[in-house]
Amino acid sequence: MDNTGNALAGRTALITGASRGIGRAMAITFASQGANVVVSARSAETLADVVGEITASGGRALAVPADVMHEDSASTVVDAALAEFGRLDVLVNNAGGNSFMSPLATMRFAGWQKIFALNLDSTVRMIQAALPALVASGNGSIVNVSSVTGLRGSPLMSHYGAAKAAVISLTQSLAIEVAPDGVRVNALVPGWIDTDLTDFLRTDQGIEDTVIGRVPMQRWGTADEIARAALFLVSDASSFMTGQALVVDGGLSAQP
Ligand SMILES: NC(=O)c1ccc[n+]([C@@H]2O[C@H](COP(=O)([O-])OP(=O)(O)OC[C@H]3O[C@@H](n4cnc5c(N)ncnc54)[C@H](OP(=O)(O)O)[C@@H]3O)[C@@H](O)[C@H]2O)c1
């Protein structure tokens, strides 16, 4: 924190999946705390909107359109961040999601692999590309976005749940490996959040009632509520915390 009270002053943060939803909220929150922000996603147009919003508020941001499913995307995005800002202190692996539901017994294996590639393989590639710069930072922080579906059984979403569970395990292993290098690694575990990803659940009142009926706080979380938890994890407020999974779910996972 500098004398302006900004938690991320002088730091550069790279966020994948930052054009919409949770990633966009993180980018705006981090920029409001003084970070230079590198936002990546596939759509150049929506990324330009995010950059416009941040620069209009006096922040600094760079858009790097890229598809995390492509093998060389990670180095492209990290190289662009370093070329623009000269350093990298924070990496948030947020790009991810799920596009279908199916019983495991009849799931097409290609579908299983696609969801692992999007949620897990992309995270591994980004980490490998960014780690040298995060070590050089001297105060590096990685946040991997998981999901409550990765904490327990998720019928019809075994593919997504297994990939998000793997994200937590990866977080724990990596945290131990890189702690001596001054890099912290934590997972952020959202419950049901109101974004484009969950729009399909809000089109049917019955389904929405069932989903939200199981949440003790009886409502959807907001992207801003996840962004504030991410800010905690990437800032010095959590300086002695690594290898942890921070659950932000309105009490969903606390239930028996
Ligand atoms: N919403 C929830 O209830 C919830 C709950 C638990 C966990 N999560 C996790 O939180 C993260 C963000 O979810 P969200 O709800 O904010 O989703 P969202 O609103 O669908 O936004 C997803 C973001 O990821 C980008 N993206 C998608 N596929 C990509 C790809 N192949 N390459 C690069 N960028 C890609 C999208 O931009 P483009 O389409 O332009 O690429 C967008 O910026 C995901 O990892 C999700 O699994 C969400």
Side-chain angles (χ1 to χ4, degrees), residues 8-207:
L8 301 180
R11 297 189 203 177
T12 298
L14 193 172
I15 305 159
T16 64
S19 61
R20 291 183 275 116
I22 292 170
R24 179 189 175 106
M26 288 175 181
I28 290 166
T29 300
F30 292 4
S32 76
Q33 288 298 313
N36 300 322
V37 177
V38 181
V39 289
S40 190
R42 290 166 301 181
S43 161
E45 202 180 324
T46 40
L47 284 177
D49 285 349
V50 182
V51 170
E53 188 170 337
I54 289 171
T55 51
S57 310
R60 290 181 74 196
L62 171 74
V64 188
D67 185 339
V68 293
M69 299 289 267
H70 293 168
E71 209 173 318
D72 51 1
S73 284
S75 54
T76 303
V77 180
V78 170
D79 289 350
L82 292 173
E84 181 74 9
F85 296 119
R87 61 183 296 132
L88 186 61
D89 309 280
V90 169
L91 167 67
V92 182
N93 290 306
N94 168 72
N98 177 35
S99 49
F100 69 95
M101 297 175 85
S102 167
L104 183 64
T106 52
M107 192 181 296
R108 289 175 53 226
F109 196 67
W112 172 273
Q113 286 178 311
K114 185 179 157 198
I115 296 306
F116 265 68
L118 176 61
N119 291 280
L120 183 63
D121 300 355
S122 67
T123 297
V124 174
R125 287 205 191 98
M126 286 302 304
I127 288 168
Q128 290 184 334
L131 255 182
L134 293 169
V135 172
S137 148
N139 192 13
S141 177
I142 298 173
V143 170
N144 298 319
V145 178
S146 176
S147 162
V148 285
T149 59
L151 296 178
R152 56 190 62 179
S154 296
L156 307 182
M157 290 202 287
S158 59
H159 49 315
Y160 182 60
K164 290 302 197 183
V167 165
I168 295 176
S169 175
L170 170 91
T171 297
Q172 293 167 330
S173 302
L174 182 68
I176 298 165
E177 290 178 9
V178 300
D181 300 316
V183 179
R184 298 185 300 112
V185 191
N186 290 290
L188 182 52
V189 186
W192 294 108
I193 311 302
D194 182 350
T195 67
D196 291 355
L197 186 65
T198 51
D199 263 350
F200 74 102
L201 294 167
R202 284 179 294 275
T203 55
D204 180 318
Q205 191 64 49
I207 295 176

